[in-house]
Amino acid sequence: IKNPMDLFTIISKLKNNQYASIEEFENDIRLIFRNCYIYNDIGSEMHILGEELESTFNKIWTEKIGIQVK
């Protein structure tokens, strides 16, 4: 993995106001999913769980961003 990312790093960046935009935050979240798919074989439990979590994230993200745009 050339660009590692984890939730602890994201939480730290949030606490320290290190995100200049919501897009930067989203990019870090999506990097976690990309790394998951690179590291874990298709069909493996972790790959499947990553897909499920990404699907849930996408649903919630779309709902929350939709509310902010209105």
Side-chain angles (χ1 to χ4, degrees):
I1 302 296
K2 292 181 181 181
N3 298 304
M5 182 52 61
D6 60 79
L7 291 174
F8 293 111
T9 300
I10 290 173
I11 290 168
S12 176
K13 289 172 84 171
L14 283 168
K15 286 181 179 178
N16 294 304
N17 296 316
Q18 291 179 300
Y19 287 112
S21 69
I22 198 164
E23 290 82 11
E24 285 183 19
F25 168 78
E26 181 183 12
N27 289 339
D28 277 355
I29 292 289
R30 296 201 182 280
L31 179 57
I32 290 175
F33 296 128
R34 282 194 306 275
N35 289 344
C36 172
Y37 304 142
I38 290 168
Y39 190 78
N40 298 286
D41 293 332
I42 294 173
S44 70
E45 183 177 7
M46 291 309 294
H47 196 283
I48 292 167
L49 290 172
E51 290 174 333
E52 291 175 5
L53 183 58
E54 183 177 24
S55 178
T56 300
F57 173 79
N58 288 339
K59 181 177 183 252
I60 293 169
W61 188 252
T62 300
E63 291 170 0
K64 298 299 181 186
I65 295 301
I67 290 170
Q68 289 183 359
V69 172
K70 291 181 183 177

